[in-house]
């Protein structure tokens, strides 16, 4: 009986640890998502500003050849 109680207590601790790890993982994922959203927002702002300030060819070079288009679509995933 005493052993069963000790085992139950030990299992409860393990469940608690697993729950804490899952919460930490969720918090980390949330922070990573927020960072990616900020990066996407900054890129979109840069894109709009560059589009307004540049002619079409300069914008195309900036967008396509400097890798911003690829980064934009990778952030969309």
């Amino acid at each position: 009986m005493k052993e069963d109680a000790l085992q139950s207590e030990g299992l409860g601790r393990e469940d608690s640890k697993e729950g804490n790890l899952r919460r930490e993982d969720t918090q980390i994922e949330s922070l990573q998502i927020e960072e990616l959203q900020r990066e996407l927002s900054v890129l979109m702002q840069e894109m709009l500003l560059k589009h307004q300030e540049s002619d079409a060819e300069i914008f195309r070079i900036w967008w396509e050849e400097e890798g911003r288009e690829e980064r934009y679509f990778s952030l969309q995933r």
Side-chain angles (χ1 to χ4, degrees):
M1 223 51 176
K2 192 173 185 181
E3 289 178 18
D4 290 338
L6 288 175
Q7 283 182 338
S8 292
E9 185 178 318
L11 292 175
R13 287 185 195 148
E14 289 299 317
D15 289 344
S16 177
K17 287 178 186 177
E18 287 179 23
N20 288 339
L21 289 175
R22 276 183 284 218
R23 274 192 293 282
E24 288 176 12
D25 288 346
T26 301
Q27 289 173 340
I28 290 169
E29 287 174 3
S30 293
L31 291 173
Q32 290 171 334
I33 289 169
E34 288 175 16
E35 178 61 30
L36 291 172
Q37 288 171 335
R38 278 192 295 274
E39 188 176 343
L40 179 59
S41 178
V42 167
L43 181 58
M44 291 176 72
Q45 290 172 6
E46 288 177 358
M47 177 184 68
L48 291 171
L49 184 62
K50 190 73 167 182
H51 190 266
Q52 290 173 350
E53 292 180 344
S54 305
D55 67 26
E57 183 59 18
I58 291 174
F59 177 78
R60 186 194 65 73
I61 291 169
W62 177 84
W63 182 245
E64 294 174 3
E65 294 180 13
E66 292 184 21
R68 301 230 178 28
E69 179 181 34
E70 184 179 323
R71 183 64 182 149
Y72 174 79
F73 288 111
S74 71
L75 290 169
Q76 292 293 319
R77 294 183 199 151

